[in-house]
Amino acid sequence: MVREVAVRISRRYGYKASLNPMTARLSIAMATYNGAQFLETQLRSFLDQSRRPDQLVACDDGSSDETVAILEEFGRAAPFEVKVQRNPQNLGHEGNFGQAIALADGDIILLADQDDRWDAGKLATVEQEFERHPEALLIVNDVRMTDGELNPTGRTLLGQLRSSGLIG
């Protein structure tokens, strides 16, 4: 249900830069599509971060529910920059995330699904890992799997991949 990846964007252009924790910008790139019923939980988890993001970029892929209105209202009250982009045509899941990443300007960009809930220390942990591993281009974190009501199932994504033999 959950897929989250952090990308060090400055490396994408082929130059090495040290991540300065005093000035590093953290952006969240979120793709949405008819996610109104889930958004409040995910947006609240962004506000509850021990290290808040500097920016949220939400790209909507043509929702017919209240998704965009919820995002715009959140953006007016959020203590960080919020960009809401309505795609003029449906880009699909990957294209929508690509659009959100392209619009984000953080040194670290985290991908967020609309139907997740992040632990309060997620952004701080990702930032610390980039500080510890300045050579890293990408950090992938494990996720606790949940049901449709965000109740933990006791499984993790990496645990499932290990038990299936896909990873060692």
Side-chain angles (χ1 to χ4, degrees), residues 43 69-84:
L43 295 173
I70 292 167
L71 290 167
E72 289 173 342
E73 181 178 340
F74 177 79
R76 286 190 288 277
F80 46 82
E81 176 189 3
V82 176
K83 292 181 186 177
V84 178

Side-chain angles (χ1 to χ4, degrees), residues 1-2 143-147 151-158 160:
M1 178 178 180
V2 191
V143 296
R144 281 184 234 111
M145 301 188 70
T146 63
D147 63 18
N151 298 308
T153 64
R155 297 178 298 160
T156 68
L157 181 59
L158 290 177
Q160 292 296 106

Side-chain angles (χ1 to χ4, degrees), residues 12-72:
R12 180 172 63 169
Y13 298 103
Y15 62 88
K16 294 185 178 183
S18 297
L19 184 63
N20 182 341
M22 300 303 288
T23 61
R25 280 182 50 85
L26 271 66
S27 294
I28 298 171
M30 183 167 61
T32 62
Y33 180 75
N34 288 334
Q37 72 184 67
F38 306 110
L39 276 175
E40 182 179 336
T41 299
Q42 179 63 305
L43 295 173
R44 168 59 54 193
S45 77
F46 297 159
L47 291 173
D48 291 343
Q49 292 296 305
S50 60
R51 196 292 193 199
R52 284 196 175 149
D54 297 293
Q55 179 186 56
L56 167 63
V57 176
C59 287
D60 187 76
D61 216 16
S63 292
S64 58
D65 65 3
E66 296 299 312
T67 297
V68 173
I70 292 167
L71 290 167
E72 289 173 342

Side-chain angles (χ1 to χ4, degrees), residues 57-133:
V57 176
C59 287
D60 187 76
D61 216 16
S63 292
S64 58
D65 65 3
E66 296 299 312
T67 297
V68 173
I70 292 167
L71 290 167
E72 289 173 342
E73 181 178 340
F74 177 79
R76 286 190 288 277
F80 46 82
E81 176 189 3
V82 176
K83 292 181 186 177
V84 178
Q85 168 76 32
R86 286 182 175 188
N87 298 331
Q89 61 187 29
N90 188 282
L91 302 177
H93 187 73
E94 292 83 11
N96 198 20
F97 265 112
Q99 177 76 354
I101 292 167
L103 293 172
D105 62 15
D107 300 299
I108 298 171
I109 300 175
L110 296 99
L111 304 186
D113 287 327
Q114 65 189 3
D115 60 349
D116 295 347
R117 178 183 62 227
W118 286 2
D119 290 337
K122 179 181 177 71
L123 290 178
T125 299
V126 169
E127 185 175 49
Q128 289 166 5
E129 287 303 310
F130 275 115
E131 290 169 11
R132 273 184 267 208
H133 304 283

